[in-house]
Amino acid sequence: MTEIVALIPAAGIGSRMQSECPKQYLNIAGKTIIEHTLAALLEHPRIQQIVIVLNPADTQFNQLAIASDPRITTVIGGDERADSVLAGLNYLSDLSAEHPVWVLVHDAARPCLHRDDLDNLLQLVDKSPFSSALRDSQYDGELFCGGLLAAPVRDTMKRMVISPVEKISAEKSLFVDHTVDRNGLWHALTPQLFPLQLLRDCLMKALSEQARITDESSALEYCGYRPVLIKGRADNIKVTQPEDLALAEFYLSRKSKEHIV
């Protein structure tokens, strides 16, 4: 049976939130953001373990009640998200496993994940040859390798250009260069789900060659794989800006009411 482990990179400091603490520890709807995030994962019966990658200076996570859950393990991360994800993958790869292991990477500050989205994503494990006879050691660029939640772009997209406006001020101004065709464009969300060893190997290769890695899928893409897009809910937002807090609280309250009903 395939083992599924959730990996939560939480070593960032959340500078865009303009707050005194990392954004995952801000409170919304009675709990910290990371507690909402972890609860959504721990409720799923197929997730046996969660590895949380923390900043070495983090003193807050262990003060949370959820930190004592036996399914949760913490490790120390790096400067960038990719470094933290790799730290978690290295920890997992050092553990002996009798079964294929898939890693579900999810943002710590994305607390509104719904069970139906998670169910749809996890179905990829059962369809993949990496979960059966091929195991994680035999790679083929044409093989189905996993995937990610994503949402189609709905707004008009603009490509900007930065130009100096010397006659007006010394500062540079932003202008529209052209409108981008949004057909075929998707917002990448999390979780993103891949076989442990495949993700680790692709991430190590991409980082060693100084490729620009913005999420786990981009590491797979760099190595020639084509992750599957699973359409996810648009309310699976990542709390990044201060104005996201009220929206996340609204979505969480609505989600709570759906559970009650």
Side-chain angles (χ1 to χ4, degrees):
M1 181 177 178
T2 302
E3 182 177 356
I4 298 171
V5 178
L7 175 59
I8 313 296
I13 58 173
S15 57
R16 284 176 289 181
M17 281 300 299
Q18 303 170 23
S19 64
E20 295 181 355
C21 71
K23 58 190 175 184
Q24 60 266 27
Y25 298 121
L26 296 175
N27 278 276
I28 54 174
K31 296 180 182 178
T32 62
I33 291 174
I34 196 170
E35 287 177 294
H36 288 291
T37 300
L38 294 174
L41 297 169
L42 290 171
E43 288 172 0
H44 201 286
R46 296 197 67 179
I47 298 175
Q48 297 91 9
Q49 181 182 2
I50 297 180
V51 175
I52 304 175
V53 189
L54 299 175
N55 189 292
D58 189 301
T59 60
Q60 293 173 273
F61 181 76
N62 286 331
Q63 297 178 26
L64 303 177
I66 203 168
S68 62
D69 191 298
R71 293 168 290 178
I72 292 178
T73 303
T74 61
V75 299
I76 298 301
D79 294 334
E80 303 293 335
R81 175 196 171 92
D83 300 317
S84 292
V85 171
L86 184 57
L89 296 174
N90 287 338
Y91 167 79
L92 289 170
S93 65
D94 288 340
L95 304 178
S96 59
E98 299 179 358
H99 309 289
V101 177
W102 281 59
V103 179
L104 185 84
V105 184
H106 189 48
D107 296 323
R110 203 179 285 271
C112 303
L113 177 64
H114 276 253
R115 174 66 178 268
D116 52 354
D117 273 4
L118 191 50
D119 285 338
N120 291 337
L121 183 63
L122 291 177
Q123 286 180 12
L124 298 180
V125 175
D126 303 321
K127 300 176 182 178
S128 172
F130 283 99
S131 297
S132 56
L134 290 177
R135 301 298 296 258
D136 295 40
S137 59
Q138 301 182 34
Y139 302 156
D140 185 329
E142 296 300 317
L143 284 178
F144 171 79
C145 65
L148 64 151
L149 291 180
V153 169
R154 294 181 285 185
D155 299 313
T156 298
M157 306 298 291
K158 304 290 186 181
R159 174 69 66 183
M160 74 171 189
V161 61
I162 302 176
S163 299
V165 185
E166 298 176 357
K167 294 182 180 180
I168 300 176
S169 70
E171 297 182 358
K172 293 182 178 180
S173 299
L174 304 181
F175 295 91
V176 173
D177 184 65
H178 63 276
T179 298
V180 179
D181 184 0
R182 68 186 176 197
N183 289 326
L185 293 181
W186 291 63
H187 294 286
L189 309 174
T190 69
Q192 302 192 3
L193 178 67
F194 301 103
L196 166 61
Q197 205 57 48
L198 176 62
L199 176 56
R200 180 173 179 263
D201 289 350
C202 289
L203 191 54
M204 290 177 64
K205 175 179 172 62
L207 290 176
S208 68
E209 296 177 6
Q210 299 183 331
R212 186 170 182 268
I213 300 302
T214 55
D215 65 356
E216 292 65 53
S217 177
S218 60
L220 274 289
E221 296 159 32
Y222 180 79
C223 294
Y225 290 86
R226 299 172 64 185
V228 176
L229 291 171
I230 300 296
K231 187 175 180 179
R233 297 174 57 122
D235 58 4
N236 181 14
I237 65 168
K238 183 177 181 181
V239 178
T240 304
Q241 307 286 352
E243 58 266 29
D244 297 331
L245 289 170
L247 186 58
E249 185 165 13
F250 169 75
Y251 286 145
L252 286 169
S253 64
R254 191 175 66 176
K255 180 181 175 184
S256 177
K257 291 178 182 178
E258 290 174 358
H259 280 303
I260 294 174
V261 174

